Amino acid sequence: MPPALTISADHARRFLVQRHLLDPPRSLPAEPESVLRVIDRLGLVQFDPVGVPGARSHDLTLHARIARYQTAWCDRWLYGPPGGDPLDRRLIELYNKSLNILPIDELPHYRHTWDRYDSYYRDGILQDQSAVADAIVEKIRRDGPLSTAAFREHNHAIDWWWAPTSAARAVMEALFVTGRLGISRRDGNRRYFDLIERIAPAHLLDQRESEEVGFRHRLLSRFRAVGLLGGQMAGEIAVDTGKAPERARGLAQLVDDGVLLPVQVEGLRQVRYALADEEPILNAAAQPREARRATPPSVTFMAPLDPLVWDRRLLRELFGFEYLWEIYVPVAKRRHGYYVLPLLFGDRLVGRIEPRFERADRALRILGIWFEDGFEPMTAPGFLEALGDALAAYTGFIGARSVMWPRTRPGRDIAGALRRLPAA
């Protein structure tokens, strides 16, 4: 294995922000093709259906990188153009670590996931509820994409992933993870399933990669998503990358083949790995930001499942930022809030914010804002102006007509300071 390239922590932070297309944020062209550029760079974007802040996590991830982003742009590539050929898709929802948005051309690398789920569910729910499964497949074959609402006659409860649920929903999910159904479209959070052969082109469904090739691709996808991932973390942030010895062998092969570049970041105990193709970005990030451009740093709200924040150890050791998405934490034990987003300012994570969108009156309520020790938002050069720009972009994105801040500090002080800023 070649010796690791040694870089400073400042260099590493600059590199990560640049390669994540966040320097500056919201700078990709305002067009649907920019969604594909983000997926091409990161390899995937994680999907989550919760839309409390006004948008779902994958849309927050895309908004952070694309100017005037519209959710319809991602939907177009996922579900086909409105009124167009449903097979004209460039992206697909598949499991890889969790439910992810992936390039549809990579489907052959993930066929093994269908096989694994099939071997598990074939003698389980799909056998126990075979009559329900047959009815669902036949009705979808006949009538086209359908949601669970079309199968109310199969609403008896059965044990499922997290809690008892209706047989129709559980069986449709089992048919989805085994590759018999795919998500044709979504209406809000309601999923409409169709036969997979109506969603993915035949040449992709007919193609199968070897287990070795598929494993290598899935392992590499973790390093592509994070940007500076450590070898141990490839298993901690994902399910489906084999056991530790297998990952170690795969990682060593990727390095020996020149696909990954070992990087030792000063102050970090673990060697990290960058994509060798991104070495030009790594070299460009060697210069301090001030030497490269005169424009001040920008602010963006980071999605809780953004690939930049997947690796919590990296956030803690490199950015000095402890982050826990507290959506699953009981209310009494939360330190901050239910759906709190990290605040990125230039190449620093300086705080967190909890936005909640009230759709009835189209109001964005900031339930709380917190800053890291040592960061002074009222006096940090350029921060308030950058926060105002980020807030304006965010309200435009979700369609908010008003913004309400908490009456406690520092929210009250920031709200007042933003009101006093000169109009753009």
Side-chain angles (χ1 to χ4, degrees), residues 166-211:
S166 76
R169 175 181 175 180
V171 168
M172 290 180 90
E173 287 176 346
L175 292 169
F176 170 62
V177 298
T178 56
R180 295 179 64 184
L181 299 181
I183 297 176
S184 176
R185 63 182 175 89
R186 290 177 181 262
D187 184 3
N189 281 331
R190 184 177 292 279
R191 297 165 296 177
Y192 285 79
F193 294 91
D194 202 353
L195 304 180
I196 191 63
E197 56 265 31
R198 295 175 181 165
I199 289 175
H203 74 276
L204 293 177
L205 293 174
D206 292 341
Q207 184 179 345
R208 280 184 176 271
E209 299 288 359
S210 68
E211 177 56 30

Side-chain angles (χ1 to χ4, degrees), residues 222-423:
R222 310 306 194 265
F223 293 91
R224 180 180 298 281
V226 176
L228 271 181
L229 185 65
Q232 296 174 5
M233 294 304 295
E236 293 178 30
I237 67 170
V239 293
D240 208 20
T241 53
K243 295 182 179 180
E246 186 181 7
R247 289 197 303 273
R249 289 192 297 271
L251 172 58
Q253 190 64 56
L254 288 168
V255 174
D256 288 344
D257 291 346
V259 178
L260 289 178
L261 178 70
V263 179
Q264 180 65 65
V265 181
E266 294 177 352
L268 273 62
R269 291 172 294 176
Q270 191 181 66
V271 173
R272 300 268 164 173
Y273 298 88
L275 297 180
D277 288 348
E278 294 183 356
E279 190 171 5
I281 305 174
L282 186 64
N283 293 336
Q287 284 189 316
R289 191 177 196 281
E290 297 76 12
R292 292 181 286 112
R293 62 166 70 93
T295 55
S298 301
V299 165
T300 196
F301 304 163
M302 300 299 299
L305 299 175
D306 191 293
L308 180 63
V309 303
W310 272 10
D311 186 346
R312 301 295 199 255
R313 183 186 299 179
L314 186 64
L315 292 191
R316 182 172 62 250
E317 295 181 356
L318 183 61
F319 290 88
F321 191 77
E322 290 277 357
Y323 180 60
L324 174 66
W325 192 30
E326 297 181 287
I327 192 170
Y328 301 113
V329 176
V331 175
K333 295 184 178 181
R334 289 179 190 149
R335 290 186 58 199
H336 298 104
Y338 174 76
Y339 205 107
V340 173
L341 311 180
L343 281 174
L344 182 70
F345 178 43
D347 58 14
R348 300 172 61 194
L349 289 165
V350 299
R352 58 204 83 204
I353 189 169
E354 184 179 13
R356 177 165 296 183
F357 184 47
E358 306 290 352
R359 287 174 171 78
D361 55 5
R362 307 204 69 77
L364 177 64
R365 302 180 189 276
I366 307 300
L367 302 185
I369 188 167
W370 304 265
F371 294 97
E372 297 297 281
D373 292 342
F375 183 77
E376 299 295 336
M378 304 301 293
T379 58
F383 175 74
L384 288 173
E385 293 83 358
L387 179 62
D389 290 343
L391 190 62
Y394 192 80
T395 55
F397 165 50
I398 65 173
R401 295 174 182 164
S402 62
V403 179
M404 286 173 274
W405 288 85
R407 297 183 178 180
T408 54
R409 289 178 172 169
R412 183 178 60 190
D413 295 338
I414 289 175
L418 291 179
R419 284 195 296 269
R420 290 191 294 273
L421 289 176

Side-chain angles (χ1 to χ4, degrees), residues 59-82:
D59 286 316
L60 294 174
T61 297
L62 294 167
H63 161 71
R65 293 160 171 85
I66 302 172
R68 300 186 298 283
Y69 169 70
Q70 300 176 28
T71 59
W73 295 347
C74 184
D75 289 349
R76 181 259 177 270
W77 301 118
L78 267 175
Y79 312 126

Side-chain angles (χ1 to χ4, degrees), residues 154-175:
H154 300 299
N155 270 351
H156 55 282
I158 61 173
D159 289 335
W160 193 227
W161 290 339
W162 292 286
T165 190
S166 76
R169 175 181 175 180
V171 168
M172 290 180 90
E173 287 176 346
L175 292 169

Side-chain angles (χ1 to χ4, degrees), residues 106-126:
E106 295 185 3
L107 176 59
H109 294 294
Y110 299 95
R111 287 293 301 270
H112 100 287
T113 306
W114 290 348
D115 297 338
R116 180 166 52 83
Y117 278 117
D118 184 66
S119 65
Y120 183 78
Y121 290 126
R122 183 176 56 244
D123 298 326
I125 184 174
L126 294 180

